[in-house]
Amino acid sequence: MQRWPGKVYSRLYRPIMYQLTKRYQSTAAKFDSSALPGTSPVDNVPITTKLEFLPSKAKSIILNIGLWTQMFSDNQLIKMYKDMTMLETMDNILFQSQRQERISFYMTHRGEEATQIGSAAALDSGDLVYAQYREAGILLYRGYKLHQFIDQSNEKCVVCYFGDGATSESDAHAAFNFAATLEVPIIFICRNNGYAISTPSKDQYHSDGIASRGTGYGMMAIRVDGHDLFAVYNANKAARQMAVNENKPILIEVMVDRFGPHSTSDDSSAYRSEEKMRHHAKTIDPIERVRRYMDVRGCWNNEKEKTWRKEATDMVLKELEQCEHIKRASITIMFDNVFEKVEPHLQKQMHELMQHVQQNHEASFLTLLSKYEQSCVPDK
Amino acid sequence: MALSLRHLILTAPKCSSILTRRRVAHFTFFKDQPDPSLGPTKEMNLCQTIQNAIDITLGNDHTAIVFGEDVAFGGVFRCTTELRSKYGADRVFNTPLCEQGIIGFGIGAAVAGTTAIAEIQFADYIFPAYDQIVNEAAKYRYRSQNLFNCGKLTIRSPWGAVGHGALYHSQSPESQFMHTPGLKVVIPRSAIEAKGLLLSCIKDDNPCIFFEPKILYRSAKEDVPIKEYTIPLSKAQIIQEGSDVTLVSWGTQVHVLREVAQMAAKENISCELIDLRTIVPWDVDTICQSVSKTGRLLISHEAPITGGVGAEIAATVGKECFLNLEAPVERVCGYDIHPIPHVFEPFYFPSKWRCLEALKRMMNF
């Protein structure tokens, strides 16, 4: 290409470029989504001539802590504290009892108490809760009332708990998308404790946690300090209001630490430093934080603490002892509730099993049988 | 290169006639007669009848909802036409393209007390929802020991060979759900049957899967009673009595066997034809009583033979009717290849010829 003299080049450059880009803009069709049948209502999409990708990670979503918009009464505070400490007591005793082979399996909640009690306290008693497995605190808070069915009125919402690992399953994607498109009053609570058994969150996702997914589905999201009872409570309260009044889903990502192992089948020292976790736990223990607040407020003291802790321990130990003496349910129950009624083929199979059981008099079999309630088989 | 219309018209006579001629259906549809006690009837085909059944449900049950892909405008098979304008967008609506979500959502709605009718656009697409069906829906009542249940969930899905469906619009996956305790699976053979069976599924307090033979949507035209009626689940129907051999099938294949029975009658073989209707829990007594009488059993289904529903029936009959059997149980089914390769459908199919051959084998055993 012939080299233009510098002056001519610079004088011509700008007008030429202006003309070129002007023409480009004027012939570029304006994207009018309303002109196309069946397109999604993403109106007023700005257009650009620049090739530019959105960043894979936007600015990190802020962690919300210590939102003090709610003043609790002493009684409310004490109930929440008692539920948190009862959960801790249950955890300690039942974890040990699994090691003693008195129960078969247990999962502790250490570190996540504020998440569970704070969120449960922010809900209506009629809201339907779908829990994963680390939410016994919710049941505790509700006094074990499992028979509450959802009220058909419009003022209830649904709450669904799950961990960081669960968000990788396509169920989570389906649930978020459906909740958003069908405008469901549901609160999704992700307990992000940094581990899915041994898998750390860096192997689980490369996004900015789970809260960042909210925009991907057109859903509002918030990130909360899960060790802070009041932050969790207030975030849930606000989310519930929006969900119920505006018929839309809200995503709450609760950042917590799982002080203990995944379950009694897990030895977490195999993949993380127990000493580090113990040290860390001391500094951020959610129960200690509430305790200190209650001390300062004057509604709790050492004396009350000692009495309550003893009471809680006694309650759990008593229940454990009583439950150990209860026999397992009768074998025939195995055939119940597969269908609404016990269908003919299951009746037949149940009779076959009971015949087999009655005919077997071998010693070890009888020992096994003695652990179960006597079966009462209705006549064919 | 774009083909012009002129080019297409000119080359048409040169094309292989077998490949381009519209496939003729592999069966003849035998009409059922309506039960006169059910009152006035209207001529309806299968998809109109399904629409009618859903219409009745939405009208009587204020909690009932219908949802799935493309359900709002009427559905790709027109089974939900006019329902949205009649009952509103809150009750008849589209979902995102996600079968796992459709069923997951349906389970949740049913648990909360809604009569949920979920549509899976083709039975071939039901597999992303398999986990939800097997591990959630089927187990809901059991694992909560009746604290919760999703009995109000009904899943309906177009099913079976259609002549040109190939691998992903032809499947009959009923055996994959028969193997899961807690589910009911129902397949009608005609419009009259479909209405009664679908209404029974909806009313039944267990999660039900209702497979609709898509090839019958237009061709199954009958005088269907207008009023609401139900046909009991887990009750097989003896369509035709006979003494020499028992023929068992469901869905479209029942019509193939009807023709086989006619052909056999010309050779003085008396066939007892049974429509199983409910795949699981299935009517063991009716089948076994029939085989005890005839001594011979032929089971025929579109799905591949290995591990199909026929295998379960054959094993049970083999045990219960062993001493009554005159010949081994025959199963005439699809081959163990992926159902159904497009150009080979006529050969894949358990045709009337293959069925007749198997029948004669049993008679001459």
Side-chain angles (χ1 to χ4, degrees), chain B residues 208-273:
Chain B
C208 294
I209 304 177
F210 187 76
F211 285 124
E212 302 163 359
K214 63 176 90 67
I215 201 172
L216 297 179
Y217 273 144
R218 308 237 180 282
S219 54
K221 240 188 230 171
E222 287 168 320
D223 296 315
V224 182
I226 296 171
K227 70 186 275 209
E228 183 177 349
Y229 63 93
T230 56
I231 292 176
L233 300 185
S234 296
K235 200 85 196 72
Q237 187 184 32
I238 301 175
I239 297 175
Q240 175 185 312
E241 287 191 11
S243 53
D244 293 329
V245 59
T246 303
L247 308 177
V248 175
S249 190
W250 48 90
T252 320
Q253 194 66 4
V254 172
H255 302 285
V256 174
L257 289 184
R258 262 178 151 150
E259 204 173 335
V260 171
Q262 278 181 348
M263 287 156 72
K266 292 202 181 94
E267 302 187 36
N268 292 321
I269 302 171
S270 162
C271 297
E272 181 147 294
L273 177 57

Side-chain angles (χ1 to χ4, degrees), chain B residues 298-314:
Chain B
L298 186 150
I299 309 158
S300 187
H301 58 69
E302 289 178 20
I305 188 168
T306 296
V309 175
E312 164 64 31
I313 299 173

Side-chain angles (χ1 to χ4, degrees), chain B residues 100-303:
Chain B
Q100 175 180 44
I102 292 170
I103 303 305
F105 170 82
I107 294 168
V111 168
T114 307
T115 297
I117 304 170
E119 176 179 306
I120 297 292
Q121 201 162 81
F122 284 88
D124 312 56
Y125 310 154
I126 203 165
F127 298 105
Y130 199 59
D131 177 54
Q132 288 293 311
I133 294 171
V134 167
N135 278 332
E136 302 292 334
K139 292 177 168 64
Y140 229 93
R141 192 190 291 276
Y142 193 71
R143 75 174 189 220
S144 72
Q145 279 296 289
N146 210 20
L147 276 176
F148 298 98
N149 73 79
C150 61
K152 287 179 180 296
L153 174 67
T154 304
I155 302 168
R156 19 170 314 270
S157 189
W159 165 103
V162 71
H164 50 272
L167 300 184
Y168 298 107
H169 297 81
S170 310
Q171 290 176 48
S172 321
E174 64 272 16
S175 68
Q176 313 211 29
F177 297 97
M178 185 190 210
H179 193 59
T180 301
L183 298 175
K184 294 199 177 183
V185 178
V186 178
I187 305 176
R189 69 170 183 274
S190 71
I192 294 176
E193 288 280 304
K195 181 168 172 176
L197 289 169
L198 179 56
L199 286 171
S200 288
C201 284
I202 292 170
K203 289 175 201 289
D204 191 281
D205 215 7
N206 294 290
C208 294
I209 304 177
F210 187 76
F211 285 124
E212 302 163 359
K214 63 176 90 67
I215 201 172
L216 297 179
Y217 273 144
R218 308 237 180 282
S219 54
K221 240 188 230 171
E222 287 168 320
D223 296 315
V224 182
I226 296 171
K227 70 186 275 209
E228 183 177 349
Y229 63 93
T230 56
I231 292 176
L233 300 185
S234 296
K235 200 85 196 72
Q237 187 184 32
I238 301 175
I239 297 175
Q240 175 185 312
E241 287 191 11
S243 53
D244 293 329
V245 59
T246 303
L247 308 177
V248 175
S249 190
W250 48 90
T252 320
Q253 194 66 4
V254 172
H255 302 285
V256 174
L257 289 184
R258 262 178 151 150
E259 204 173 335
V260 171
Q262 278 181 348
M263 287 156 72
K266 292 202 181 94
E267 302 187 36
N268 292 321
I269 302 171
S270 162
C271 297
E272 181 147 294
L273 177 57
I274 303 180
D275 177 2
L276 193 62
R277 287 162 155 179
T278 300
I279 306 301
V280 64
W282 62 283
D283 188 352
V284 179
D285 289 345
T286 300
I287 310 297
C288 288
Q289 272 164 30
S290 173
V291 178
S292 298
K293 180 176 77 169
T294 63
R296 295 175 191 86
L297 174 63
L298 186 150
I299 309 158
S300 187
H301 58 69
E302 289 178 20

